[in-house]
Amino acid sequence: QVQLVESGGGLVQAGGSLRLSCAASGRTFSRSVMGWFRQAPGKEREFVGSITWSGGSISYADSVKGRFTISRDNAKATLYLQMNSLQPEDTAVYYCAAVSRGPSSLARSYDYWGQGTRVTVSS
C-alpha cells in the first residue's frame, strides 16, 4: 500500500513557477508508476502527466507539455511536478496518484491518491 501527501501549492501570478512535491510512504513506491492529475472547480479530474518507476518514460498532457516537468527520487520516495509559465487556466487542485500496473492517463486506473494541493494562478 502507498500513502501520498502533496505539498507546494499556493498562489502565484501568471508566468510564475511552482514546484509540487508528493511524499510517499509504503514499500511499493519505487515500483509504482506515479501520476499527477488536477481538478478545476466544476470540471472533471484531468491527467497532467505520469512517470514510470525508473523515470525512463514520462508522459504529459498536451496542455502542459513544454511547461511542466515530472521527476521522482525513489531514494526519497518523492514525486515532483515543476510547473513553469503558469497560466490562470492551470488553477486547480493537484493530486498525485500511484498505480502498480503500467502507465495510464486514466484516473480510474490509479489505486492510491493524495489529498491534493491547491494551485491558484492570478492574471
Side-chain angles (χ1 to χ4, degrees):
Q1 200 165 12
V2 179
Q3 293 80 42
L4 305 170
V5 179
E6 302 94 336
S7 62
L11 174 64
V12 63
Q13 289 189 331
S17 298
L18 280 175
R19 187 194 197 200
L20 305 184
S21 298
C22 172
S25 60
R27 294 182 298 174
T28 61
F29 172 81
S30 63
R31 299 193 297 274
S32 298
V33 169
M34 300 297 297
W36 284 101
F37 288 79
R38 65 186 182 185
Q39 188 165 18
K43 296 188 176 181
E44 293 188 353
R45 192 167 298 189
E46 67 170 347
F47 174 75
V48 173
S50 65
I51 183 170
T52 55
W53 70 271
S54 67
S57 179
I58 304 175
S59 299
Y60 297 98
D62 288 342
S63 58
V64 307
K65 201 171 292 183
R67 300 187 299 124
F68 290 11
T69 302
I70 295 174
S71 61
R72 66 189 294 167
D73 185 335
N74 287 338
K76 296 182 179 180
T78 303
L79 174 73
Y80 302 100
L81 179 66
Q82 177 67 45
M83 305 186 295
N84 298 329
S85 301
L86 284 162
Q87 300 301 316
E89 53 265 34
D90 296 316
T91 295
V93 176
Y94 284 72
Y95 299 89
C96 65
V99 60
S100 57
R101 298 174 293 280
S104 175
S105 62
L106 300 176
R108 64 174 181 265
S109 298
Y110 287 76
D111 304 307
Y112 306 103
W113 292 84
Q115 84 290 347
T117 186
R118 185 174 301 276
V119 172
T120 303
V121 184
S122 63
S123 58

